[in-house]
Structures are given as structure tokens and as C-alpha cells.
Amino acid sequence: LDEGAMNAAREHQDRLTKPRGALGVLEGLSVRLAGIAGVCPPPMPEPAAVAVFAADHGVHAQGVTPWPQEVTAQMVQNFLAGGAVVNAFARQTGAEVRVIDIGVKAELPPAEGLISHKVAHGTADMTLEPAMTPEQVRQAVEAGISIARDLVAAGHRCLVTGDMGIANTTASAALIAAFTGRAAESVTGRGTGIDDATHARKIEVVATSLARAGLDGATDPMAVLAEVGGLEHAAIAGFILGGAAERVPVILDGVIAGAAALAAAALAPAVRDACVAGHRSAEPGHTAALAHLELRPLVDLELRLGEGTGALLALPLVQSAVRVLREVATFDSAGVADKA
Amino acid sequence: LDEGAMNAAREHQDRLTKPRGALGVLEGLSVRLAGIAGVCPPPMPEPAAVAVFAADHGVHAQGVTPWPQEVTAQMVQNFLAGGAVVNAFARQTGAEVRVIDIGVKAELPPAEGLISHKVAHGTADMTLEPAMTPEQVRQAVEAGISIARDLVAAGHRCLVTGDMGIANTTASAALIAAFTGRAAESVTGRGTGIDDATHARKIEVVATSLARAGLDGATDPMAVLAEVGGLEHAAIAGFILGGAAERVPVILDGVIAGAAALAAAALAPAVRDACVAGHRSAEPGHTAALAHLELRPLVDLELRLGEGTGALLALPLVQSAVRVLREVATFDSAGVADKA
């Protein structure tokens, strides 16, 4: 973060025609966005692009969700056809949707809007063996970095994380437990809305995987990703690293992005500064991840959909925060009296 | 609310390509918006218009704020010049700004975008006498109704409340105390950010006004407005009544709108159904008003600016909720498997 730009933003906020501090959380956000960009006012965070990283999970075999694994590939087709909620929210907010096959089990035919970086046909079952090899993790992280760089090179000034992968809240819970040191039962939620029996099984699957891997929180983040992560988690971690390196804000979606951000921050703590927590999902692990990252979510409406939907809802708020620094008149320029 | 349209919206939500309930608060909101419009899917709530009702307050003489009274008129000029935060947020969200002089103390020259409905040159000092006459309240309420009708007739499909009036959080606190039965000290906040001594004086001013008026919560809402309200409160109450009658959603801004909505709901309880709580402000009285109205705010970021700014931040969320019903594919149409 650029301290000079942040100080300039703080001073400018205090001259604008409104009571000091009256924009609450958005004032601090505007200051941080100046710090990310290194200039005050920062550029408008637009156009924005949401990158939906899609992958499958070997742990699906353990019965952690009632959704068939084929739904990952079917939802990719839905994204490409413009029929999913992420597409509707992107149209509402003027964001572009990019879908990245980072590890879908099925073969996906080439299509406009689909970027193929398939590292594997899904991960291995983390209850039995490491979900990924170190080389797979490295490839997925590098793919995420390159996607971020390409989007910024194409003119995007705000990156938004998205994800699709049946069973990916199970891997997210394991990652969050590993990075925050919390117990499996405190960070494992109901994902798409599973019943009590499936939830109990899911908690056991997370605990079993952590025990198998012998993770104690002090391990190399790439190793944690390999043991219990997903290909989309590794790619999103890279996407965050790439966005931070390019000095553009990265709006995080829900629990999958939260788990990936923990990995990214473990690799390079400074990247946390480029992250904006778009929303807080209904998943308990997401709350734990945000607390660990010390990020306050902008939207908190019990969403639990993923795809990037919660982050897109926050995009206009982020843009509004910047717009204040760029467009609002000062007491002097508007001829408005300051308080006594 | 139209039960048939709401049932159709609930059934449609359950066929869309997402886990049932995964959009959290936005699903219930989309159902209510169908009920307001009486059709499923409801029309997109656009274009939207934010009506900023400006007025002055006789209670300013009691030293409840460090801001000079002239700032009300100066900020009206700022709104008309496009330099205020409400203008910036309106540009971000595609809303139009209308400024209504419902009772500014100063004479305002005619200007494009300014609608004159001046009922009085500010209210009287509510610590000493009723703030308004019954006739003034009636005129202000009717002005609010006519503004809402005119905006809908001009094609607007979403109304957003805004306000400007130095000292209007003092009148808001008195209204909220009267309508909810709470004590002055529990609903009187720091407005623009006053110091401890001014806050203590403000609480005493609210308590004194309520005691003078002899309000016990069982009084006629028009009489409550006359005793301790503001011209903008009366006009916003009318604006809500008018919007509800026209079957368009009315997004409420902060504590001033909350106080006005209590008056509107006391006059006609069904209008509550047309109200969407845009945000929750930092004012304690606003939390009390929302609880009494049983409305859950969409944005909760400690804003305390007014003008309509918090409500405008919520506008894209409301539009996104409707867009889901209008645009998202069903499991059948997209060829996506439902859960087992």
C-alpha cells in the first residue's frame, strides 16, 4: 500500500461536502483503494471481470453432497450460455464473465468465453491421499496469476473471484481449518444446504483428511493446498497474487475465495491489502477466514451460492467508494459552510 | 401484496439453477417485489429516482448541532450542481436525482432539477410549540404523494428516499421515540458526529419536546408529525404512501426515512410491504425504527450521511434480486441435474 496516496485520500475525504467520517466503512475502503493503486484519486475500478474457476473434487466420492459431480460441467455450460446467477449479476453490474476450466473432470468442448487451463481431471480423494501433486498446485497457481495479468493487460481495473466445483466447500473447510488452526466442526458448513447426516459425514471427512495429512498449521502453504485443496483454490490464490502484483483490487467472493485468500496471504502476506471482502456467506468457515484475514465484508445477506455472486453484489459499492474521491465537491469549491 | 405473484415467485426461485435458498435475503426480497408489483417476474426496478426532500428545523436554535442552518440551502445548491455524494452514487447506479424544497428557510431561486413545494420557511421550535400546524403537515404529506405519483407517471419503477435538513436527526429521534415508545436517550444519536456535551443537550431537547407535546404513542400520526416532526418527514411519509399506492418499491434511506416510514405505517400499515430498507445507519434510532417496522436492511456499513446515499447503495442489490427472477435459467432449460 502506498502511504502517500493513502494520506492524500484521507485529507481529501475530510474536505468533501459531508460530515467527516459520514461514509463509514466506505471511507476507509476508498483510502485503501488509493493505497492499492498508488495514486489519489485511484482509477475507477472498471471495467471489472469476474473469473469463474471451475474444478472437480475427488472427495466427492465420500458422499459430502447430494449434487452429482456432473453438475460442475453442466454449470460451466450454463455460465457460457449466460443463464446462471453470476451472469445476471454481471449484467447488472457491468462486469465481464470469464470461465476457466482449471480442473473439471469432464472434457469440455472449446467455446467462446471458456479459457482452458485444465491441470487435471479433478483432484484425488483427500481422505485417502494428497488431493494434488506439488506440480499440479504450481501449475494451477501460475494459471491464476496469468489470468489476472491477462485481464489487467486487457484493460480491466477490478478483478472479481468466482468458482464452481461440486464438493468445493468441503475442501474449503479443510483449508480454513489448516490455515486458521480451528477445528473441523467449527469451520465445516452445510454448503448448498445439506441435511444433518451429510453434514456430520462432511465434518468427519474434513477431520480425517487433516489427520491423514498431518497438517499442524505451520506447514508450507503450497503443501497445504496439495494435501487438502482444490485446483480452483490454488488458481484463485494465484489470481489474488497476480491482481495484487498488478495493483488492482481483487473482490473476494465467499468461502472458496476466503480459503484461497488464506493460502495467498500465507505465501505473501502483503496481498491481503489488495483484497476486498465482497460479502460474508452463510458458511461458518468463511467467517473464520475473514476474521483471520482481518477483512470486513461489504455485503452480509446469507448468500451461499458461490460463482462470484456475492462479490459482484459488492462491486457497485467499491465503485461508489472510489467515485466519492473522484467526483464529490469540497466545502471550498461548493461554497458550503463547514461546521462551527 | 399479491399472494398469487408471491407464490409464483417462490415456485420459480425453486426451479432456478442454484441450490434452493442460496441467495439468502435476496430470495425473500424478490418474492416481495413480485408481491408489490402483482406480477411474476416483477418489472425491473428501473429507472429509479431519488427524491431529496429538503427542509429546515426550528429546533436548530437549541444548539443540537455545530452546523449552521444555512448549510441546508447550500447543500441544495450542491445537489443541483451535481457535487454531493448523492449525485455521485446516483451516477454510479443510474438513478435520477430530484430535489424538493419542502421547507427550506432560505428563498431558493428556481433551478433545473429543483421542485418547489415550500410549505413553510422551516418548522417552529418543537421544544416550545408544535413544529408544524396540522395544515402544514397535510400539505407536506400531499406534496410527497404527488411527487411519487409524478415520478411513476414519468416512467420510474423504483423510488428512493432522500433528505437534507440541518438538525433533522433531532426531529427523527423525537418521532421514533413517539412511534416506538422508546426513551429519548435510547434513540437519540450523534447525527453528523457531535461531541458529548451536544449529544447530552440533544437528548434533553428530544425529551423536553416529547413532554411538552404530551405524546404517549397512542396519538394520531398526523398529530405526532405536527408536534415533533419535520416538513421532510411528512413529505417522505407521503412519498412512501404514494409509492405504495402505485405498487412500486420504495427504498428507504437512513434515520430520517425510518422515522417517516413509522409515520406512514401508522397511517396505513400495508405501506410497510412496499418499503425496502436500503441500509442501516449508525444512528441508534434507525435500528429502533427498522426493528419496529420489521425490516431488514440490505447494506450495513455505518453510514450516517443521509441525502439518500445509503438507499442508493442498495439499489443495485434490489435490481439484482429482480434480475434473478427475470433472467436465470431453470434446471430444465439449462440441462443441469438437480440434487439427488
Side-chain angles (χ1 to χ4, degrees), chain A residues 7-28:
Chain A
N7 285 331
R10 283 186 199 100
E11 286 168 20
H12 190 63
Q13 280 283 5
D14 285 349
R15 286 193 300 269
L16 300 179
T17 45
K18 61 173 182 53
R20 287 166 189 85
L23 285 171
V25 172
L26 295 188
E27 294 200 14

Side-chain angles (χ1 to χ4, degrees), chain A residues 13 16-27 320-321 324 328-329 331 336, chain B residues 52-53 67 71 75 78-79 83-90 161-169 172 190-193 232 253-257 279-283 286 301-313:
Chain A
Q13 280 283 5
L16 300 179
T17 45
K18 61 173 182 53
R20 287 166 189 85
L23 285 171
V25 172
L26 295 188
E27 294 200 14
S320 295
V324 169
V328 173
F331 286 109
V336 173
Chain B
V52 186
F53 293 91
W67 294 85
V71 168
M75 284 300 294
N78 199 17
F79 299 145
V85 178
V86 69
N87 304 103
F89 286 7
T161 78
D163 60 86
M164 180 67 221
I166 298 300
N168 66 6
T169 62
S172 298
R190 288 169 186 271
T192 53
E232 73 273 53
D253 191 37
V255 69
I256 287 84
H279 85 127
R280 189 169 73 101
S281 85
E283 283 287 293
H286 193 207
L301 297 174
E302 296 171 31
L303 270 67
R304 49 182 171 80
L305 177 53
E307 301 179 1
T309 52
L312 283 175
L313 291 178

Side-chain angles (χ1 to χ4, degrees), chain B residues 123-211:
Chain B
T123 54
D125 181 349
M126 68 176 175
T127 62
L128 307 175
E129 59 186 313
M132 294 177 274
T133 66
E135 175 61 17
Q136 287 172 337
V137 175
R138 196 185 59 72
Q139 286 180 24
V141 170
E142 287 183 358
I145 294 173
S146 76
I147 297 287
R149 287 198 174 145
D150 290 349
L151 287 169
V152 175
H156 291 92
R157 290 295 168 263
C158 185
L159 302 181
V160 181
T161 78
D163 60 86
M164 180 67 221
I166 298 300
N168 66 6
T169 62
T170 304
S172 298
L175 288 170
I176 292 166
F179 283 116
T180 68
R182 301 208 195 200
E185 60 265 32
S186 76
V187 296
T188 305
R190 288 169 186 271
T192 53
I194 54 179
D195 61 21
D196 287 349
T198 309
H199 187 215
R201 190 179 316 128
K202 184 173 172 182
I203 292 170
E204 200 181 311
V205 161
V206 171
T208 299
S209 304
L210 292 165

Side-chain angles (χ1 to χ4, degrees), chain A residues 83 92 296 302 323 327 329, chain B residues 83 91-92 296 302 323 329:
Chain A
Q92 180 62 46
R296 174 172 170 157
E302 297 172 29
R323 204 174 268 267
E327 297 184 2
Chain B
R91 285 188 289 268
Q92 181 61 46
R296 175 173 170 156
E302 296 171 31
R323 204 174 268 269

